[in-house]
Amino acid sequence: MTIVEEHTPNPAAGDEHRPIGYGRLQRKEDPRFVRGKGHYVDDIVLPGMLHGAILRAPVAHARLVSIDTTQALANPKVVAVITGKDLEGLGLAWAPTLSYDVQAVLVTDKVRFQGQEVAFVVAEDRYAARDALELIDVEYEVLPPLVDARKALDPDAPVIRDDLEGRTDNHIFDWEAGDAAETDAVFASADVVVSQEVVYPRVHPAPMETCGAVADFDPIDGKLTLYETSQAPHAHRTIFAMVAGIPEQKIRIVSPDIGGGFGNKVGIYPGYILATVGSIVTGRPVKWMEDRSENLMSTSFARDYIMQGEIAATKDGKILGLRTNVLADHGAFNATAQPTKYPAGFFHIFTGSYDLQAAYCKVTGVYTNKAPGGVAYACSFRVTEAVYLVERMVDALARRLDMDPAELRLKNFIRPEQFPYPNKTGWEYDSGDYEKTMRLSMEIAGYDELRREQEERRARGELMGIGISFFTETVGAGPRKHMDILGLGMADGAELRVHPTGKAVVRISVQSQGQGHETTFAQIVSEELGIPPEDIQVVHGDTDQTPFGLGTYGSRSTPVSGGAVALVARKVREKAKFIAAAMLETRPEDLEWEKGRWFVKGDPSVGKTMAEIALGAVGTIELPEGIDGNLDAEVTYDPPNLTFPYGAYICVVDVDPGTGVVKVRRFIAVDDCGTRINPMIIEGQVHGGLTDGVGMALMEIIEFDEDGNNLGGSFMDYLIPTAMEVPNWETGYTVTPSPHHPIGAKGIGESATVGSPPAIVNAIIDALSPLGVTTIDMPCTPARVWEAMQGRATPPV
Ligand code: MCN
Ligand code: CUM
């Protein structure tokens, strides 16, 4: 592995030569994880706890005729069976989705996707609950399924959402961004227009730990404690309070260690509600934990975008505009998690990293008989689809113009002096130096040499491909006036307290699923206060112990919560100044800060360390007016804008001409996420994301047969990459701080998942181009590559 170490300046520290905190500090959470001592939802065992299991629909579309639960209830180990009818009585049969639609918690009228929740059994143990599912007798009247989004708007398509009043079709929304007329004019004036259909198939985040909950309702004081696999415990609590009618102060949501989320754990699944109802009904705690097939078939999928792309340019390669029409398959309920204003997420960042004259996109959302959810899987709210589209289109243009794809990109990048850059669909990119990052990536790759090698290999009949992707992301949602979930604005709180002995605790509203927040957020505090990171405890994941905030997704923890933590630490530092002044019997304005200590200007030997001030704060000295005796503070941070990290990725593949098997031989990833808090964690995030990218590019897909059966319901069918399929990642970085973030940091958690698939697919098309191949859809399985090599399924560009 090559790591190109470059100096990381930290402008906020006022010191050009010091990395944030302790640089490559090892993760504080790992001692428990590597020893198998993490504490996950399924590790929770409460006295008297019962187990729930969900009966799921075997078909994709069917009218529910009857349910008979008598036999199941007769089983002595079964304590309760809950059906849609029971929930109807409680007003809980339908719950709001995160997109202002409704979703059935349990089917009352009609099954709308295979794997949908039909009944809930609560039993003495997990096995009994599972076994009892077979004793429930359900009669279905099977209806024709609709699993092809292209047919969703046909006049004779079955209407899936007949529960919605007056609904006669499967149309959810039309959404557009950019200026259509201006874009048409630019296209009319262009020398070259290239069009291509680009499909991003349905995939699944498939975290190692599936979703689950333990609900513990105390009938005496009416308090619900809900242990959940949640990326956003506070948002869940507020929504639970609104839906279930339990007063918010009586709800405590705890998200303990989480074994990966990747967007899968943003939504509120019927299982969480059912465990809660189960606990209320039985008066005992109820655990519900999905198995792998339930996770793959019924929880948030990702992508499922059919994109018609068009790119316009001059004949010498100046890109003028981009235009696209997208068909978005949202499944049976519109449950995508994204800001209300943006039904297609942040897809309108599809103008990428290029300085364009015009751009326009239109996205049409439709219902199909597939599982709802959507957006999830390290996507930055649909940026994944956007980046895939633009990077495929730029490569198609390069082929048409017979230009090198790196050269074409370099020619069209937004230039450093153009930042802050307003793009044509409404974003303002904060900062960037794209050319520098691209050139570093080319240097690590030895790009010119690779092209020479490719020529030689081609002459020998070998299929070697080089693919590039340059992406810009929009991460760190807020500000809250533009971004919300169900009206809850996207901002985050932080509370910091320095204990009398100088150790600190910082309470945050975001939730780690493996990203290392206990380490990096301690590093931010350490940087600001000079307290060693090991002396700072990061508390998260418990709504009774942490301030309100919207949680972790869209790589927003560092951009938003990280900003909150830096600001709350600065507030504590300010308060410490007043206390130090009282201790030193001087005026606050006569003090100066150096890491960890306030001292008298001009007399550095006279000062007080953070630990001394913390003790002083609770001591006997007289404090100045308005300063109370505790070294603590709280803030809510509403970011002024998103952050726009970016990266230059180069992929080298070899395709076996005899079998169509693709081998990713090299992958070079140069990322820029602004100020880097912990380079080791960043590298881990990038490695993970690149591995996701190999999975999506080569093997992952959730498909359906014409009867609506989900063909990706197990890891035998839904393939994920292993160490065998990934190369030694070669990573590098540049540092262009975000000008508006308190420490200049941008997010990194999804960059590599977003950026890598187009590089891999572009490399495959490049490898196959001597055979006349101009396009291929993911996943590029040996069968698909073989088809393309035979000249099938690849229309001319
Ligand atoms: N970081 C840093 N310096 C920066 C930016 C980030 O050191 N300039 C560190 C952060 O402090 C944090 C980690 O890198 O420890 C990721 O930070 P960030 O980019 O803010 O992303 P989030 O913490 O908000 O994590 C969410 C993001 C998303 S949305 C998905 S999806 C995803 C991802 O993180 N899911 C993950 N990475 C994952 N990694 C693991 N192990 N598990 C998941 O479920
Ligand atoms: Cu879109 S997956 Mo992450 O934002 O939790």
Side-chain angles (χ1 to χ4, degrees):
M1 177 179 39
T2 323
I3 305 160
V4 178
E5 283 292 350
E6 212 189 62
H7 172 61
T8 308
N10 172 22
D15 180 346
E16 285 296 293
H17 303 283
R18 197 178 60 198
I20 266 265
Y22 286 62
R24 297 182 74 89
L25 182 79
Q26 298 214 324
R27 301 201 329 167
K28 293 169 72 171
E29 40 275 88
D30 282 348
R32 70 174 187 276
F33 289 150
V34 298
R35 288 180 216 166
K37 298 290 182 198
H39 196 62
Y40 300 89
V41 168
D42 204 19
D43 293 326
I44 294 168
V45 177
L46 300 178
M49 187 174 80
L50 299 169
H51 295 260
I54 294 175
L55 179 71
R56 295 182 180 277
V59 290
H61 202 188
R63 203 154 290 289
L64 184 66
V65 180
S66 62
I67 301 190
D68 183 353
T69 58
T70 339
Q71 268 205 59
L73 277 168
N75 185 313
K77 283 194 162 182
V78 170
V79 182
V81 180
I82 297 162
T83 65
K85 273 234 151 22
D86 304 327
L87 292 185
E88 248 170 1
L90 299 166
L92 286 175
W94 293 82
T97 69
L98 300 183
S99 301
Y100 289 100
D101 193 356
V102 287
Q103 172 171 355
V105 178
L106 288 175
V107 172
T108 51
D109 56 343
K110 201 171 85 167
V111 169
R112 293 181 172 85
F113 67 93
Q114 189 187 42
Q116 195 180 345
E117 296 78 2
V118 175
F120 189 63
V121 171
V122 183
E124 293 292 343
D125 62 62
R126 186 176 164 97
Y127 305 98
R130 287 271 158 156
D131 289 347
L133 296 180
E134 312 220 334
L135 303 175
I136 301 175
D137 197 10
V138 189
E139 194 187 329
Y140 298 104
E141 176 198 329
V142 177
L143 300 168
L146 169 70
V147 285
D148 181 352
R150 293 175 208 259
K151 294 183 182 153
L153 299 178
D154 288 355
D156 59 348
V159 178
I160 297 167
R161 295 301 302 280
D162 49 357
D163 59 294
L164 300 172
E165 220 182 293
R167 173 63 64 160
T168 54
D169 61 23
N170 297 308
H171 181 261
I172 310 175
F173 64 84
D174 279 318
W175 190 78
E176 53 182 354
D179 188 322
E182 191 181 70
T183 308
D184 290 349
V186 161
F187 269 75
S189 73
D191 299 328
V192 185
V193 172
V194 178
S195 314
Q196 210 167 56
E197 179 179 283
V198 176
V199 178
Y200 213 131
R202 176 176 274 238
V203 288
H204 197 281
M208 198 151 43
E209 177 202 36
T210 57
C211 300
V214 176
D216 184 12
F217 184 76
D218 183 337
I220 307 298
D221 67 5
K223 180 153 185 170
L224 169 68
T225 304
L226 185 60
Y227 304 88
E228 265 191 343
T229 51
S230 170
Q231 296 182 213
H234 282 280
H236 279 203
R237 179 175 67 170
T238 303
I239 294 167
F240 245 85
M242 290 167 167
V243 175
I246 303 171
E248 196 163 358
Q249 81 280 10
K250 297 275 189 189
I251 303 175
R252 174 182 174 206
I253 293 200
V254 182
S255 287
D257 286 331
I258 293 189
F262 307 101
N264 195 216
K265 293 165 180 168
V266 177
I268 298 176
Y269 295 116
Y272 304 160
I273 301 170
L274 292 169
T276 303
V277 174
S279 181
I280 293 173
V281 168
T282 62
R284 289 163 68 178
V286 174
K287 178 186 283 185
W288 162 76
M289 224 39 233
E290 284 172 347
D291 66 20
R292 180 58 59 189
S293 291
E294 293 183 281
N295 181 258
L296 284 169
M297 292 177 67
S298 311
T299 62
S300 285
F301 70 97
R303 329 291 190 244
D304 226 341
Y305 259 35
I306 301 171
M307 305 177 275
Q308 309 299 332
E310 286 181 288
I311 188 166
T314 63
K315 58 181 175 304
D316 59 351
K318 176 76 196 105
I319 304 174
L320 301 173
L322 275 159
R323 196 161 56 188
T324 184
N325 211 317
V326 177
L327 188 59
D329 185 340
H330 281 227
F333 306 98
N334 186 23
T336 61
Q338 76 246 311
T340 308
K341 263 192 184 179
Y342 305 112
F346 298 166
F347 178 78
H348 50 308
I349 187 88
F350 84 113
T351 57
S353 316
Y354 310 104
D355 183 24
L356 305 179
Q357 292 179 8
Y360 171 74
C361 70
K362 182 176 170 208
V363 182
T364 300
V366 296
Y367 289 120
T368 58
N369 288 118
K370 299 180 183 175
V375 180
Y377 198 170
C379 62
S380 305
F381 296 118
R382 302 279 188 202
V383 177
T384 328
E385 291 89 332
V387 165
Y388 185 64
L389 176 70
V390 59
E391 290 307 291
R392 287 284 311 273
M393 294 313 295
V394 169
D395 254 46
L397 176 66
R399 261 191 309 284
R400 166 73 73 82
L401 294 172
D402 201 19
M403 248 177 107
D404 182 276
E407 192 190 322
L408 179 62
R409 285 177 172 83
L410 285 164
K411 189 175 174 129
N412 287 285
F413 281 149
I414 299 161
R415 295 183 309 279
E417 68 276 12
Q418 289 177 285
F419 290 92
Y421 177 82
N423 93 330
K424 288 290 175 187
T425 51
W427 299 106
E428 186 174 282
Y429 296 18
D430 58 350
S431 62
D433 185 346
Y434 295 165
E435 176 170 349
K436 183 174 165 195
T437 309
M438 184 73 217
R439 292 214 185 272
L440 178 58
S441 168
M442 292 168 75
E443 192 186 309
I444 300 172
Y447 187 73
D448 295 339
E449 183 47 42
L450 280 174
R451 286 288 175 202
R452 271 194 292 279
E453 180 193 338
Q454 183 182 38
E455 236 170 74
E456 283 166 26
R457 286 184 186 263
R458 277 186 179 165
R460 296 202 294 268
E462 292 175 30
L463 300 173
M464 168 182 168
I466 305 164
I468 297 174
S469 152
F470 195 102
F471 64 92
T472 297
E473 275 197 289
T474 34
V475 307
R480 68 174 164 204
K481 66 177 179 222
H482 294 311
M483 314 273 170
D484 71 298
I485 284 197
L486 287 182
L488 306 173
M490 290 193 188
D492 280 275
E495 294 169 4
L496 176 63
R497 174 173 297 255
V498 184
H499 298 307
T501 53
K503 318 283 180 189
V505 55
V506 62
R507 302 169 187 279
I508 58 177
S509 54
V510 294
Q511 167 65 37
S512 174
Q513 304 98 53
Q515 296 90 338
H517 293 172
E518 288 166 46
T519 307
T520 45
F521 285 84
Q523 284 180 270
I524 296 173
V525 174
S526 174
E527 179 72 18
E528 299 294 336
L529 295 185
I531 300 171
E534 57 273 23
D535 288 347
I536 300 161
Q537 195 198 348
V538 177
V539 176
H540 61 167
D542 181 342
T543 55
D544 270 8
Q545 288 201 50
T546 55
F548 183 80
L550 270 256
T552 292
Y553 40 82
S555 302
R556 62 189 296 286
S557 302
T558 305
V560 188
S561 182
V565 167
L567 293 181
V568 80
R570 286 176 197 169
K571 216 166 158 181
V572 163
R573 193 166 76 199
E574 234 358 71
K575 187 171 179 183
K577 178 162 78 173
F578 285 86
I579 298 165
M583 293 170 80
L584 293 166
E585 295 179 348
T586 180
R587 296 179 314 170
E589 54 271 35
D590 293 335
L591 296 182
E592 204 171 311
W593 173 258
E594 70 177 7
K595 199 170 179 182
R597 170 172 192 275
W598 283 108
F599 66 92
V600 175
K601 276 180 199 162
D603 190 0
S605 66
V606 180
K608 291 284 176 197
T609 65
M610 216 52 203
E612 287 166 340
I613 300 167
L615 196 55
V618 296
T620 54
I621 53 154
E622 193 169 330
L623 292 171
E625 188 137 339
I627 301 288
D628 61 23
N630 252 319
L631 197 45
D632 61 359
E634 55 181 81
V635 301
T636 298
Y637 180 60
D638 182 16
N641 189 5
L642 292 108
T643 66
F644 295 76
Y646 55 91
Y649 290 1
I650 299 178
C651 174
V652 182
V653 301
D654 294 305
V655 179
D656 185 330
T659 60
V661 170
V662 175
K663 177 155 181 57
V664 178
R665 192 208 308 170
R666 286 184 67 194
F667 199 105
I668 297 90
V670 178
D671 276 279
D672 193 319
C673 59
T675 305
R676 292 153 58 85
I677 300 161
N678 187 315
M680 180 194 69
I681 286 180
I682 292 172
E683 213 177 278
Q685 291 288 302
V686 171
H687 286 186
L690 295 174
T691 306
D692 283 342
V694 167
M696 288 182 289
L698 301 185
M699 58 195 86
E700 295 181 32
I701 187 167
I702 300 272
E703 281 181 297
F704 295 81
D705 71 12
E706 61 206 28
D707 295 326
N709 292 310
N710 185 324
L711 304 178
S714 83
F715 278 160
M716 294 296 282
D717 307 296
Y718 188 78
L719 304 181
I720 55 172
T722 67
M724 297 294 287
E725 287 84 29
V726 299
N728 257 335
W729 308 114
E730 301 171 64
T731 57
Y733 64 93
T734 55
V735 177
T736 312
S738 169
H740 64 74
H741 186 270
I743 60 167
K746 303 182 180 186
I748 188 69
E750 294 160 301
S751 290
T753 315
V754 167
S756 54
I760 300 168
V761 177
N762 282 340
I764 295 168
I765 297 172
D766 186 50
L768 303 181
S769 61
L771 306 174
V773 173
T774 56
T775 183
I776 187 165
D777 281 330
M778 296 190 288
C780 301
T781 57
R784 279 198 185 179
V785 173
W786 176 257
E787 283 273 308
M789 285 162 63
Q790 309 315 306
R792 292 195 285 271
T794 172
V797 172

